Amino acid sequence: MYPTTGSTLIVLNHVGGITMQHSSSIEQLSTIKAFLKQTNNNIGKSVEELRNEMVQASAKLPKLPNVVFQKIEIGPINGEWVTAGDLVTEKEDEQQVILYFHGGGFFTGSCEIYRDLAARIAQSSGVRVLTLEYRLAPEFLYPTANEDCLFAYHWLLENGYSAHNIVFGGDSVGASLALMTLLSLRDADEVLPAGAFLISPHTDLVHLDGESYITRAELDPTGSLAYNQRIRNTYLGLGNKQLDEYPAILSPLRMDLRGLPSILIQVGDQEVLLSDAVRFTERARAAGAPVLLEVWEQMWSVFHLLAYMLPEAEQAINNIGQYVRTLLTRSQS
């Protein structure tokens, strides 16, 4: 099931189609991954150190032209509107929005750090992005981030945005928050957004038992089982302790997946979260949910952050843009 050679994009959809894309050389990717592995050694680092490193890394990204950032307060939460290029000005399209939940392990990340990725998604889709700065652990423990994501969606609805004009997006734990928010809305019998795109999602933060935690352990330059255990325990305020029973919502993979809207998942075939994406896709489709899975060969978790230099990342973001445009066009009919 998993691709093993070259740097081909394989789209695993309902009809099993395969699409080839232009790619980086193996030598280029090896150099990038060696650098990432060297700079992503998070063992023993404090939350403050990790936060500072993310700020410093994002500051080095080249600035995109024709992008407007506008800070906004969403109740107790900060957010930022990201508008890129010559976005259409018709009233209906102005009311279309991508509500984006950033990654960072529940304890790092911000609107500013994710400006480049949000801007590229806005450019590719032609839709404004609202990046949410949900409150972080350990200062704010579970379920604060989940509640903030629900609050932001309700805020959009209360401010005139229709559910069929809203698309969720997120990467890493932000993708998990997008998925958990969908499930919470469904369970509350609330109106769902048009759909969602998930980049390298954690679909099971409880069991952490995907086979790729083992088979991709040496290949993944940025992720590991130990670090994902830290992510879960930090959000729950556990330290090194374990619970006999964890909140069910932290394992969407093992929840009832019926009634979900359209979802696009993008994952690298060399990341430890590969099994999370593949297993979720299989279970969601079996439950009748329309899920499109893209497995990118030779790629790692949220490789999209290197779109300024990586053609695979640029193409993946273009695919997201096309998916969002198609989804919102379909939702109008």
Side-chain angles (χ1 to χ4, degrees):
M1 175 176 293
Y2 302 149
T4 56
T5 60
S7 188
T8 301
L9 162 64
I10 294 186
V11 180
L12 305 175
N13 57 24
H14 291 285
V15 294
I18 297 178
T19 303
M20 303 292 191
Q21 303 288 353
H22 175 67
S23 61
S24 304
S25 69
I26 296 298
E27 292 75 18
Q28 290 171 317
L29 293 175
S30 296
T31 300
I32 293 171
K33 283 185 278 191
F35 174 78
L36 290 173
K37 196 154 196 171
Q38 180 182 6
T39 57
N40 278 272
N41 183 0
N42 299 318
I43 297 176
K45 291 182 180 178
S46 68
V47 167
E48 196 59 38
E49 286 176 308
L50 295 172
R51 289 175 178 173
N52 289 335
E53 286 180 359
M54 283 195 73
V55 171
Q56 293 167 11
S58 65
K60 296 176 182 177
L61 295 175
K63 300 296 186 279
L64 292 174
N66 302 319
V67 180
V68 176
F69 304 101
Q70 180 184 358
K71 292 186 179 297
I72 186 173
E73 291 184 359
I74 306 170
I77 319 160
N78 293 323
E80 187 169 77
W81 285 110
V82 182
T83 309
D86 300 321
L87 294 182
V88 288
T89 58
E90 287 83 359
K91 183 176 180 181
E92 181 67 22
D93 291 316
E94 284 183 341
Q95 293 302 307
Q96 294 178 341
V97 58
I98 294 168
L99 179 57
Y100 194 82
F101 310 125
H102 67 74
F106 296 116
F107 49 78
T108 67
S110 66
C111 294
E112 187 171 353
I113 287 170
Y114 272 82
R115 279 180 171 175
D116 182 76
L117 180 55
R120 292 177 187 276
I121 292 171
Q123 284 181 331
S124 68
S125 64
V127 176
R128 285 201 304 169
V129 174
L130 177 56
T131 307
L132 182 68
E133 202 163 273
Y134 55 86
R135 289 168 291 179
L136 300 176
E139 294 87 349
F140 298 93
L141 300 177
Y142 171 85
T144 303
N146 295 67
E147 293 172 345
D148 286 352
C149 294
L150 282 167
F151 185 91
Y153 178 64
H154 291 149
W155 181 88
L156 284 173
L157 296 179
E158 291 166 4
N159 281 272
Y161 291 86
S162 300
H164 69 266
N165 278 331
I166 301 172
V167 176
F168 287 174
D171 65 280
S172 190
V173 300
S176 307
L177 285 167
L179 182 54
M180 290 189 283
T181 303
L182 289 176
L183 290 167
S184 296
L185 292 168
R186 182 210 57 190
D187 289 348
D189 200 26
E190 295 188 44
V191 61
L192 297 176
F197 60 88
L198 313 177
I199 302 171
S200 302
H202 298 257
T203 65
D204 186 354
L205 275 164
V206 174
H207 304 90
L208 302 172
D209 60 357
E211 67 171 352
S212 54
Y213 276 115
I214 298 172
T215 61
R216 268 55 178 180
E218 296 302 317
L219 296 173
D220 191 334
T222 63
S224 68
L225 175 59
Y227 191 63
N228 288 338
Q229 289 171 331
R230 179 181 180 180
I231 286 172
R232 177 194 63 195
N233 290 358
T234 300
Y235 188 34
L236 293 173
L238 297 179
N240 293 320
K241 296 184 296 183
Q242 301 291 320
L243 293 178
D244 293 331
E245 186 174 350
Y246 290 86
I249 194 68
L250 294 181
S251 180
L253 177 66
R254 286 168 164 82
M255 295 184 69
D256 181 357
L257 301 179
R258 290 174 293 181
L260 291 177
S262 175
I263 296 174
L264 167 67
I265 298 176
Q266 293 181 332
V267 64
D269 93 308
Q270 294 199 353
E271 63 176 287
V272 293
L273 293 175
L274 175 61
S275 294
D276 275 35
V278 172
R279 291 186 298 166
F280 178 84
T281 299
E282 292 171 345
R283 290 208 62 220
R285 287 178 180 169
V291 179
L292 177 67
L293 173 66
E294 293 181 5
V295 180
W296 288 77
E297 288 197 343
Q298 300 294 324
M299 294 294 112
W300 52 90
S301 180
V302 201
F303 59 95
H304 309 60
L305 293 173
L306 295 183
Y308 71 97
M309 63 179 293
L310 196 64
E312 289 87 350
E314 184 177 7
Q315 181 61 54
I317 293 171
N318 287 341
N319 288 7
I320 289 172
Q322 180 60 49
Y323 170 77
V324 170
R325 290 194 302 273
T326 301
L327 192 61
L328 291 176
T329 299
R330 188 184 304 146
S331 71
Q332 306 304 316
S333 59

